[in-house]
Amino acid sequence: MSGVVVHLPQGSGGALGGKPHGDTVTLRLGPGEVARFGRGSTTIPVELRLDDPAISRLAGEIRVTDDHWQLTNHSTTHSYLVENPEGAGEYLRVPPRRVGAPIPFEFSRVVLPVRGDVTISFQVFAPDHVYLDPEAMGVPWGTSTVTAYSLNETAAYFLVLVALCEPRLRDQSRVAVPTTPQIVERLRGHLTCGELTARAVSSHIDYLAEEKLRIGVLDAHEPGKGDRRNGKREEIVGLALRFGLVREEHLALLPPLARAGGRERQAAR
């Protein structure tokens, strides 16, 4: 496991005057590294500052190991929740004073109890979960093979990946890679991901490029932001199709095509 990404979205660090406030914070932690969270002070520095009277100066810490990450709860009175946003309501409760609770989720949302109306939470992404080669099952661990690209086909980011690849999988090779608004519209009506926003889709695309597929977008000519994002999507689709990470059978994960006609109608059946 190469590490985790800890992300505190803008406005998630607490309330000021009854309104959400706080800047975006993104941390990348490697094995052995620790990030502390809480209200903090001049004598108790923290990497994630969370402002609420119910949160301790040093509320807890995240520690990355070789193959997972752990959550320590320094509170003497409050439990913390670790939710799996990609699952069907799964969560872990980390009780007060619990040290090094192992977290199994690939995506996690850590939620802390507060006095105000503004929820305080942050996200932890563990992108390097590895899976054994099915053909190597039963073989001693030392000779087993792990996948080069660890993708969870039940995750929302994989659904976004399938939507990106869909036009080319349907032999529409001249069609441009879908834009973010087109992906939002394509996934509308999906049972679990039909409410994805444009910001969420863009975050999934960035996550695919930077963490899952480890794509470096060329910027030698310093193109505009839109050009960089288009190039990123093109590289994601190219790699996914070249290595067979997304195949025709994955199209069944998408909602049925709204329009009928020709090849699209047959492919949606």
Side-chain angles (χ1 to χ4, degrees):
M1 185 175 190
S2 62
V4 304
V5 177
V6 183
H7 180 65
L8 178 68
Q10 185 175 14
S12 298
L16 182 63
K19 296 183 179 180
H21 86 291
D23 295 331
T24 300
V25 178
T26 300
L27 306 173
R28 296 178 183 273
L29 305 176
E33 294 186 313
V34 175
R36 296 178 293 181
F37 58 89
R39 289 195 354 258
S41 68
T42 54
T43 58
I44 306 176
V46 293
E47 286 71 33
L48 291 178
R49 191 176 185 88
L50 309 173
D51 293 325
D52 189 273
I55 295 178
S56 306
R57 295 289 182 183
L58 179 58
E61 67 179 38
I62 293 165
R63 180 178 298 274
V64 182
T65 70
D66 288 335
D67 58 1
H68 66 282
W69 66 278
Q70 302 171 342
L71 180 66
T72 293
N73 182 354
H74 287 301
S75 173
T76 59
T77 56
H78 295 146
S79 294
Y80 303 153
L81 294 183
V82 183
E83 301 174 340
N84 177 12
E86 298 286 341
E90 296 96 339
Y91 69 91
L92 296 176
R93 182 183 295 109
V94 181
R97 303 183 305 279
R98 175 69 160 91
V99 176
I103 309 301
F105 307 136
E106 184 173 8
F107 282 4
S108 301
R109 180 187 296 116
V110 180
V111 184
L112 282 71
V114 296
R115 292 182 61 106
D117 297 330
V118 178
T119 300
I120 291 186
S121 65
F122 56 87
Q123 302 161 354
V124 182
F125 303 87
D128 286 342
H129 284 192
V130 295
Y131 298 88
L132 291 175
D133 183 344
E135 297 180 359
M137 297 301 290
V139 178
W141 173 256
T143 59
S144 298
T145 303
V146 296
T147 58
Y149 301 106
S150 175
L151 298 175
N152 180 358
E153 295 184 5
T154 66
Y157 69 76
F158 189 79
L159 194 66
V160 170
L161 178 59
V162 175
L164 282 170
C165 297
E166 181 183 27
R168 295 188 183 177
L169 284 172
R170 296 192 189 280
D171 295 330
Q172 299 172 342
S173 56
R174 295 182 179 274
V175 177
V177 173
T179 64
T180 295
Q182 288 173 332
I183 293 175
V184 171
E185 183 62 29
R186 180 68 183 93
L187 298 181
R188 196 179 308 280
H190 188 274
L191 184 61
T192 58
C193 297
E195 301 299 323
L196 280 179
T197 64
R199 176 177 293 182
V201 169
S202 295
S203 296
H204 284 304
I205 291 173
D206 289 341
Y207 181 64
L208 282 164
E210 297 169 12
E211 305 297 338
K212 283 300 185 180
L213 305 181
R214 303 179 296 280
I215 289 173
V217 179
L218 298 177
D219 57 359
H221 301 290
E222 293 293 333
K225 182 177 180 180
D227 293 333
R228 290 199 301 272
R229 188 166 293 280
N230 287 339
K232 182 183 296 184
R233 288 198 303 265
E234 291 278 356
E235 290 201 43
I236 288 172
V237 171
L239 188 148
L241 295 181
R242 283 198 305 273
F243 286 98
L245 306 179
V246 178
R247 302 176 297 278
E248 287 188 23
E249 58 262 33
H250 291 129
L251 293 175
L253 299 173
L254 299 173
L257 285 168
R259 63 180 184 274
R263 183 170 298 168
E264 290 87 352
R265 180 176 58 196
Q266 294 181 5
R269 289 178 179 173

